[in-house]
Amino acid sequence: MSIDPVRQTMTGDLTGLNFAILDRLSNESKRRRHLKDQEAAGVDPKARPRTGMDINNRDEQVTDCRQYVESRGGRIVHIYDEEHTSAYKRRKIRQSDGSVIYRVIRPVYAAMLRDLAKGKAPNGERLDGAICPDLDRLTRDNRDLEDSIDTVVHHHRPIIDLSGALDLNTQNGQTNARVITAFKNAQSADTGRRVGRKHKALQREGIPTGGHRPFGWQDDKRTLHPVEAPLLRTAVAEILNGRAVTAVAADWNRRGIPTARGKLWRAVNLKAVLRNPRMAGYRMVTIANADEDNGETLSRHVITLKDEDGNPVMGQWERMISPADWDKLIAIIGETPQRGDGNNTRSHLATGTLRCGKGDCDTPLRATKAPPSAHKPEGFFWYTCLSKGQGGCGGVKVNGWETDEALMWLAIEMYQEQAAEREASAEPEPWQREGELTMVREDMAAAKAARKAGKITAERYYADLAEQEAAERALLKEKNATIKAAQVAADVPVTLEEDWTGGNLSLTEQRVYLERAFSAVIVAPTNGRRGVPTHHRLTPVPAQRG
C-alpha cells in the first residue's frame, strides 16, 4: 500500500507511517538539584514519585506523543531528546570571515530536520514525519520555524503536534505558526526581563538565594549552622596560621565531615567556600566567563556585589568571619587555583615534580613499577624519564623509595630554615598606602555621581573609570601581598617533621607540602658511575612565594 504522509496527517490516519518524537525542556536546573539532594538523602531513584520534581516532564511528553501516534495506526521509530535546551536563547557565533552572528543553538533539533529531509531515522528505518507536544516545544525562534517549514514543504514530511493545530504544509497554517512563534518569542523576552529585575532586586537587598544551603549555614541560608560554622571558623584560623587547605579537606574527610550535599571534600570545593564573599557577610553575585566564539560558559566565579557608591552590599545572614580576616584569607589562598591545591589522584609523591636533568631534556619523570624479573621487594619502583619515542630521552632512572625519602627531608629542612628566618626577622611593616586606596575609591564615587548628574560626558566618565579601576587593582594587589607577608603564610605546622616521619600525613598532604616547597626537582644522570647517593643527584628549585 502506498503512503502519503501529508494527506494522511490531514485526515488523522497515520496507518503505516513512521514518526519521530521531539521532546524538549528549556531549563531542568531545579529538577537536577532536586535529584542530587534526593541521591544524597539515599532516596531510591526508581521509587514512586512523591513530588512534582520527581516527575520527568520530557518522559511525559514522549508518552503523550507515542499514544497519539500509535492510537492512529502509526509507530514511533526514534526519539529526539532535547534536555536542558532553550529554543529562545541566542548565542554568539563567529563566522569564518571574523564577523559575528547570533543564533539559537539546537543540535538535536537540527539533526531531526536533516533526518526528515533524508527520510531516514538514525536507526536506519524510514522516517515519514515528526511529532511534538505543541508548537512551543518545536520552536520559539522564527528562523528555526522557517527551517521546519522548508523541510515540510520541500520534502513532504509533516511535523505535527498533539492538538492537531500545527500545519506547516499550507500557507494559512504557516502564517498562524509564524504569528504564534512571534508571540512566544516576545513572551520569553518578557519573562527574561521580569526574572532579571527580580534577581537585581534580590541582590540589591542582600536577600539570600540559591537551590541548596551553603556549608556553614542552616537551611534558611541566614543562620549559622551549630556544627559546621565552628568547623569552618577553626579551619580559617588554621589556614591563617599556615595550614594547607588540602590538609584541612583531608582531615575533614577522615573525620567523616561531609559537604552540604553529603559528598567528600576536595581542596577546590573548600577553597570555593572560603572565597565566597558570604563568609564576610557580603552579598555575592556569580559571573560567567563565556567562550567568545560560541557563547558557551567556560567557568563561573563569585564576586562581591557593590552598590552605586562602590561599597559592598551586605547580605541578610550572619557572617562567618570579619571582613578583615576574609581579606587576609583571600591574600593567602589566592583568587585563582594554584598548583597542588586540587584533588590530586597521583599515587606517588614526586610525580609531576621530578624532571630529567640530562642535557636539556627537562621531561617530567614518571613512576615505573619494578617487574618480577628485577627481583626487587614488593612495591618497589623507579622514577624514570620517558623514552625518546614518548618525548623524553630515556637517560635518567632513580630509586623511587630513596627519592621520596630524600625529598621529604629536603622539604622539612627548607620549611625549618624559613621558620628560623621569620623568627629572626623584624615584624613586617603594615601597609602604608591605605589612604591612597581610599582616595581612589572616593574619586570613583564622585565620578559616578557627576555622571548621574550630567556634569561629565559618558566618554570622559568611562575613560577616567578605566584608569581609576586600574589604580585600584594595583593598590589592592600590593595590599594583599603585604597582608600575606604579615601573615607569614607559613605553609606548615610546627609539627611537620613529626607528622611526616610518623606517618600522620596522607599522600595528598605530603604532595601539597612538597609542591609548595619546590616548583621542580632536577634529577641528574649517573653518567655511568655506580653508587652515587640518590640525594646527591637531586637539585631542588624553590617555589616562588608571593
Side-chain angles (χ1 to χ4, degrees), residues 13 89 107 156-158 168 170 189 298 301 362 387 508 526 535 540 542:
D13 179 14
K89 185 176 180 181
H156 307 290
R157 295 188 177 92
L168 302 183
T170 65
L298 300 176
H301 66 281
D362 199 39
S387 66
T508 299
T526 61
H535 64 276

Side-chain angles (χ1 to χ4, degrees), residues 108-414:
V108 174
Y109 172 77
M112 181 194 73
L113 295 185
R114 288 195 300 269
D115 292 345
L116 278 175
K118 293 184 295 185
K120 182 180 293 186
N123 61 4
E125 293 203 53
R126 189 187 75 249
L127 186 60
D128 301 312
I131 182 173
C132 57
D134 52 48
L135 178 59
D136 189 45
R137 297 299 91 195
L138 179 67
T139 181
R140 283 191 174 219
D141 178 77
N142 282 93
R143 286 194 183 94
D144 283 351
L145 176 62
E146 294 304 321
D147 291 337
S148 288
I149 291 174
D150 289 344
T151 300
V152 172
V153 171
H154 298 297
H155 299 280
H156 307 290
R157 295 188 177 92
I159 299 177
I160 61 176
D161 68 350
L162 293 175
S163 69
L166 180 59
D167 176 18
L168 302 183
N169 192 57
T170 65
Q171 289 188 351
N172 284 340
Q174 294 166 11
T175 299
N176 288 336
R178 288 170 180 139
V179 172
I180 294 173
T181 299
F183 276 116
K184 294 291 186 180
N185 187 283
Q187 184 183 61
S188 294
D190 290 340
T191 300
R193 283 192 292 271
R194 288 196 299 270
V195 171
R197 285 196 298 269
K198 174 186 174 182
H199 281 289
K200 285 184 178 180
L202 292 173
Q203 294 169 0
R204 183 182 64 249
E205 300 301 328
I207 297 174
T209 58
H212 62 89
R213 73 172 183 88
F215 183 84
W217 283 265
Q218 301 196 66
D219 290 336
D220 61 4
K221 306 182 185 68
R222 300 171 184 265
T223 310
L224 292 178
H225 195 283
V227 176
E228 295 174 353
L231 287 169
L232 202 50
R233 283 172 168 164
T234 300
V236 170
E238 292 175 342
I239 294 168
L240 291 179
N241 287 323
R243 195 177 191 191
V245 176
T246 305
V248 175
D251 180 46
W252 283 4
N253 288 335
R254 281 196 299 267
R255 294 163 59 187
I257 301 168
T259 68
R261 293 191 176 187
K263 304 294 184 180
L264 290 175
W265 284 100
R266 295 188 301 150
V268 65
N269 294 343
L270 181 52
K271 292 188 81 170
V273 171
L274 298 173
R275 287 192 182 108
N276 196 322
R278 142 184 295 274
M279 290 282 293
Y282 298 147
R283 181 59 164 88
M284 56 285 170
V285 60
T286 301
I287 303 298
N289 296 321
D291 188 314
E292 290 188 359
D293 290 334
N294 57 28
E296 293 291 336
T297 299
L298 300 176
S299 63
R300 300 178 185 275
H301 66 281
V302 178
I303 64 172
T304 302
L305 183 68
K306 302 289 185 68
D307 61 20
E308 293 184 354
D309 296 324
N311 300 314
V313 174
M314 302 306 297
Q316 295 185 21
W317 53 78
E318 297 181 58
R319 69 186 183 195
M320 187 69 62
I321 57 177
S322 70
D325 282 344
W326 187 65
D327 286 341
K328 296 174 184 177
L329 181 66
I330 294 301
I332 290 175
I333 67 175
E335 297 180 347
T336 56
Q338 299 176 6
R339 180 172 176 263
D341 284 341
N343 183 33
N344 205 315
T345 59
R346 290 169 173 163
S347 57
H348 294 86
L349 175 64
T351 305
T353 298
L354 297 179
R355 289 187 171 273
C356 178
K358 184 176 181 179
D360 57 355
C361 179
D362 199 39
T363 300
L365 303 190
R366 67 177 179 180
T368 304
K369 184 179 179 181
S373 60
H375 305 294
K376 295 292 185 180
E378 181 69 23
F380 184 88
F381 68 99
W382 293 282
Y383 288 111
T384 62
C385 184
L386 300 176
S387 66
K388 292 183 179 180
Q390 295 175 310
C393 71
V396 166
K397 183 178 181 180
V398 65
N399 184 308
W401 290 350
E402 293 179 357
T403 301
D404 285 355
E405 183 175 9
L407 290 175
M408 175 188 71
W409 287 112
L410 283 171
I412 290 174
E413 290 171 3
M414 190 208 71

Side-chain angles (χ1 to χ4, degrees), residues 456-498:
I456 59 175
T457 64
E459 292 81 2
R460 172 65 182 277
Y461 169 68
Y462 288 110
D464 291 346
L465 182 62
E467 294 181 3
Q468 292 163 345
E469 287 181 338
E472 181 187 36
R473 286 194 298 269
L475 287 168
L476 283 174
K477 184 177 181 180
E478 180 183 310
K479 178 181 179 180
N480 288 340
T482 303
I483 292 174
K484 189 169 184 178
Q487 288 296 316
V488 188
D491 293 336
V492 295
V494 294
T495 59
L496 176 63
E497 180 178 347
E498 178 184 345

